[in-house]
Amino acid sequence: MRQHSIPALVEISGSDNLARIVPRRAADDPRQVALRRNDGGQDSGTWRDVTIGEFRDDVNALAKGLIAAGIATGDRVALMSRTRYEWTALDFAIWTAGAVCVPVYETSSAEQVEWIMSNSGAKAIFVETAAHEEIVTGLRDRLTAMEHVWRIEDPEGPGPAGETSEGKAPGLEALRAEGTSVGDETVAERATAAGADDLATIIYTSGTTGRPKGCELTHRNLLAEVRAAAVAFPQLTTPGNSLLLFLPLAHVLARAIGLVAVYNRLTVGHTADVKNLVSDLGTFRPTFVVAVPRVFEKVYNTAKQTAHAGGKGKIFDAAEATAVAYSEAYDAPGGIPVGLRLKHALFDRLVYSKLRAALGGRCTAAVSGGAPLGERMAHFFRGIGVPVLEGYGLTETSAAACVNTEDNFRVGTVGRPVAGTSVRIAEDGEVLLKGNIVFRSYWDNETASKEALENGWFHTGDLGQLDNEGFLRITGRKKEIIVTAGGKNVSPAVLEDRLRAHPLISQVMVVGDKRPFIGALITVDEEFFPAWKSQHGLPESATVAQLAGHPALQGEVQKAIDEANRAVSHAEAIKRFRILPVDFTEEGGEMTPSLKLRRAVVAKTYAGDIEAIYS
């Protein structure tokens, strides 16, 4: 049984909590810019500075409103919204009022909202839009614990005393107005009520294998994550640097990194619409980016598509190969050959500088988590001068449990344990984690808690390997292991990660459990598809469904599969595949909000296609 531990560098006192972060920072210099708001609308590119003093005052005003409304210490308050300034302000306000924040994805269905609200016993909820409010209003009869609904967006605006139109949920101005009767000393008392081991948030898992479970994260859990991340990423500890948050803040990774940024005096921006991400990156110009692998794949695919559509495909392909070779040589004995350095310098002027400009021109590093990035993609981004520091963690570990850093970076791994964390590989290959970042239990689910936690060790359900220096490599997931009819155990992640790196392929699900061989369901990337059709002289109006059986499309996918199959044995290789007419989506139920595949849903929806593979 292999194990590796990294000692904690900072002790967390029993009285510490997350509500203290903002007032401590404001006490140092209230005029320091802490956030920037895009007040002119998503397309304006106009960012307004918010000082830490202004942010503190806003957090306190919202906290006073919560206290005036009867929110007590330990009460659960849900928050359903896209990523925006108000999300972060309300998160801190809920803690400042001594309450517990329960995030809800803005894309959640009524059934999901009902489960999270009823299971957590939330006393109140903040919704972002009229559509969100309509969902919650329709559940009022079943949510007996819910007493308040507040709405972040108020298109009609509040009245003179903060009143809103009859029948509409009050807005944030009304909440602030209600809190004017609460004194500063009451807020200060509430803000210090919670200790390090008290509950800070209940984050529900994505529910890829069943009903979502509520992970109880304490103030100590998140403070340990914040301080460990500060050690791992010097870019997040340099005042004046900036971070643009665009992942859903209901996701533990975005939430934790946002907390790190506020804690370490960075300037934080928010953008809710990924469609505007490129323009927002250009105007905000962050020094640090955090994303899931699909975002980095999209950046790469878009650049490749643009180059090929503009007649510069050969230049881009040569630049891509050079970037990968440069990154690979970086770790090889003997270093980078002179000829490769010269080629790299040439392509830096022609190609790489433009790719860095697409990230705002100031980005020095990025973090990827939530799913495997893939070795080629990691080499590509490091080769263009933006190392993507891949990490690994779960909601149950307060985000990152392991991560690559610029000083300790090994492509193909998810890095070493963060400070204060231990990693162990069990006899069956399962990854076990221990430390202050590990959650205390699942909310109201003793059975699941006992199954997941044993003597302080969290059983992740993931399979991995640990090298002599403590770098962890994730090789698959126990519940996703496919056992063929011939008894061969196959981990789908190896094949799926490599296939998703192909610009034409969007999503993949490897199949073959109790079947004679391994197959795959393939979806086509809708953004790259038009350029691919143009390159192959196919009609612009042709759909994926119409071309699914076309020799050119079949051949392109087969080449990608042949390349992926090189990573596995003959028995594990994909023998047949099926191109699906549409992509997997969150709206269709095949993807979680954090872009994880819901295999059971895909298997049920496309049962006929799976049967066709084996017919």
Side-chain angles (χ1 to χ4, degrees):
M1 187 179 291
R2 190 181 288 272
Q3 181 175 324
H4 193 86
S5 302
I6 302 291
L9 301 179
V10 182
E11 193 67 33
I12 298 169
S13 72
S15 61
D16 211 351
N17 68 28
L18 295 158
R20 297 173 184 262
I21 292 176
V22 172
R24 279 176 181 166
R25 180 173 168 184
D28 291 341
D29 181 4
R31 298 167 298 176
Q32 187 184 63
V33 176
L35 302 102
R36 297 174 71 203
R37 299 184 64 172
N38 193 347
D39 285 342
Q42 289 295 330
D43 299 322
S44 72
T46 303
W47 297 88
R48 176 174 67 82
D49 290 347
V50 179
T51 67
I52 189 62
E54 291 170 330
F55 184 63
R56 173 202 57 202
D57 294 344
D58 195 16
V59 166
N60 285 345
L62 292 166
K64 287 179 179 180
L66 288 169
I67 294 168
I71 299 299
T73 302
D75 281 348
R76 276 78 63 202
V77 178
L79 177 49
M80 184 181 186
S81 169
R82 298 178 300 167
T83 296
R84 54 190 295 163
Y85 164 86
E86 289 85 355
W87 211 112
T88 298
L90 288 168
D91 203 15
F92 277 106
I94 290 166
W95 287 325
T96 302
V100 175
C101 183
V102 182
V104 181
Y105 281 101
E106 76 278 4
T107 53
S108 296
S109 65
E111 182 181 350
Q112 291 167 330
V113 173
E114 181 183 356
W115 166 247
I116 292 173
M117 290 288 291
S118 60
N119 183 249
S120 66
K123 192 172 181 178
I125 184 170
F126 289 95
V127 296
E128 180 182 18
T129 65
H132 295 155
E133 183 183 341
E134 187 176 346
I135 290 174
V136 174
T137 302
L139 299 170
R140 269 194 180 275
D141 292 343
R142 283 168 277 178
L143 300 178
T144 55
M146 186 177 71
E147 298 179 5
H148 301 282
V149 180
W150 292 287
R151 185 164 143 197
I152 295 171
E153 288 186 352
D154 185 9
E156 296 179 7
E163 303 98 345
T164 55
S165 301
E166 187 176 351
K168 298 285 180 87
L172 299 189
E173 280 306 313
L175 181 66
R176 293 184 184 99
E178 189 173 356
T180 54
S181 61
V182 177
D184 291 340
E185 67 284 350
T186 302
V187 174
E189 184 179 334
R190 284 289 194 94
T192 56
D197 296 310
D198 287 321
L199 186 62
T201 186
I202 304 173
I203 305 180
Y204 282 77
T205 60
S206 54
T208 54
T209 58
R211 191 163 237 179
K213 298 188 291 288
C215 297
E216 297 182 19
L217 298 181
T218 65
H219 290 270
R220 185 184 299 279
N221 290 148
L222 287 170
L223 285 169
E225 177 72 18
V226 164
R227 292 171 185 178
V231 174
F233 308 126
Q235 302 90 343
L236 286 176
T237 59
T238 305
N241 280 1
S242 58
L243 169 73
L244 183 64
L245 288 172
F246 53 87
L247 292 178
L249 278 165
H251 189 282
V252 70
L253 175 62
R255 182 107 167 275
I257 293 293
L259 288 172
V260 174
V262 176
Y263 179 84
N264 285 289
R265 297 171 172 76
L266 265 72
T267 302
V268 180
H270 303 77
T271 184
D273 194 344
V274 178
K275 293 178 183 177
N276 297 320
L277 181 57
V278 173
S279 61
D280 285 340
L281 286 168
T283 56
F284 189 84
R285 303 188 70 222
T287 55
F288 199 72
V289 169
V290 182
V292 292
R294 195 65 187 139
V295 171
F296 296 108
E297 290 165 5
K298 286 288 186 184
V299 170
Y300 161 79
N301 289 342
T302 300
K304 191 178 183 81
Q305 175 188 351
T306 303
H308 279 269
K312 298 179 180 179
K314 289 185 178 179
I315 295 175
F316 184 91
D317 292 346
E320 176 189 349
T322 299
V324 172
Y326 186 88
S327 176
E328 290 174 338
Y330 191 88
D331 296 326
I336 303 168
V338 174
L340 182 57
R341 286 183 184 274
L342 293 173
K343 282 178 65 178
H344 185 270
L346 172 64
F347 285 127
D348 191 70
R349 292 195 299 273
L350 295 176
V351 179
Y352 308 151
S353 59
K354 296 180 176 64
L355 288 169
R356 293 194 298 271
L359 293 171
R362 298 176 65 225
C363 185
T364 58
V367 165
S368 175
L373 177 66
E375 290 191 27
R376 184 172 180 84
M377 201 62 62
H379 279 305
F380 172 75
F381 276 96
R382 183 164 71 162
I384 71 168
V386 184
V388 178
L389 307 172
E390 191 171 6
Y392 165 75
L394 303 93
T395 306
E396 290 88 343
T397 61
S398 314
C402 295
V403 73
N404 280 289
T405 67
E406 289 196 81
D407 293 333
N408 289 288
F409 190 1
R410 188 158 298 174
V411 171
T413 76
V414 292
R416 304 169 74 210
V418 300
T421 303
S422 298
V423 178
R424 174 185 289 178
I425 306 298
E427 296 297 335
D428 63 354
E430 184 177 10
V431 178
L432 311 182
L433 299 168
K434 190 175 188 178
N436 279 337
I437 61 169
V438 174
F439 78 130
R440 70 182 190 186
S441 64
Y442 292 114
W443 179 265
D444 195 28
N445 196 335
E446 187 178 350
T447 300
S449 301
K450 287 181 177 178
E451 290 175 356
L453 294 164
E454 186 178 3
N455 297 323
W457 288 96
F458 168 52
H459 291 247
T460 65
D462 290 313
L463 301 171
Q465 299 167 347
L466 200 60
D467 69 16
N468 292 331
E469 295 179 56
F471 285 90
L472 177 65
R473 184 183 296 269
I474 300 298
T475 58
R477 187 152 182 84
K478 286 176 72 172
K479 291 183 179 179
E480 293 175 1
I481 293 295
I482 293 169
V483 183
T484 66
K488 181 66 178 177
N489 284 15
V490 179
S491 176
V494 177
L495 293 160
E496 290 170 354
D497 297 345
R498 282 163 172 77
L499 283 169
R500 279 197 304 268
H502 192 285
L504 185 61
I505 294 174
S506 176
Q507 295 294 338
V508 184
M509 190 173 94
V510 170
V511 298
D513 200 48
K514 300 181 179 65
R515 302 283 192 168
F517 56 84
I518 295 297
L521 299 176
I522 306 285
T523 72
V524 171
D525 188 293
E526 294 176 357
E527 292 182 13
F528 191 75
F529 190 50
W532 181 86
K533 286 186 292 185
S534 176
Q535 293 164 23
H536 290 79
L538 294 168
E540 184 179 338
S541 60
T543 64
V544 175
Q546 292 169 336
L547 296 178
H550 194 283
L553 185 56
Q554 289 277 322
E556 187 81 30
V557 173
Q558 186 62 61
K559 282 195 297 184
I561 285 175
D562 291 342
E563 181 64 29
N565 281 343
R566 292 172 58 187
V568 298
S569 69
H570 178 73
E572 298 169 285
I574 296 169
K575 304 299 193 298
R576 295 186 67 186
F577 63 90
R578 186 90 166 172
I579 298 174
L580 300 179
V582 294
D583 201 357
F584 301 147
T585 63
E586 185 185 346
E587 293 75 18
E590 301 97 349
M591 305 292 291
T592 70
S594 55
L595 302 182
K596 293 186 179 72
L597 200 60
R598 286 195 167 108
R599 294 178 184 272
V601 174
V602 173
K604 182 178 180 180
T605 303
Y606 296 98
D609 292 277
I610 294 173
E611 287 302 324
I613 290 174
Y614 297 99
S615 62

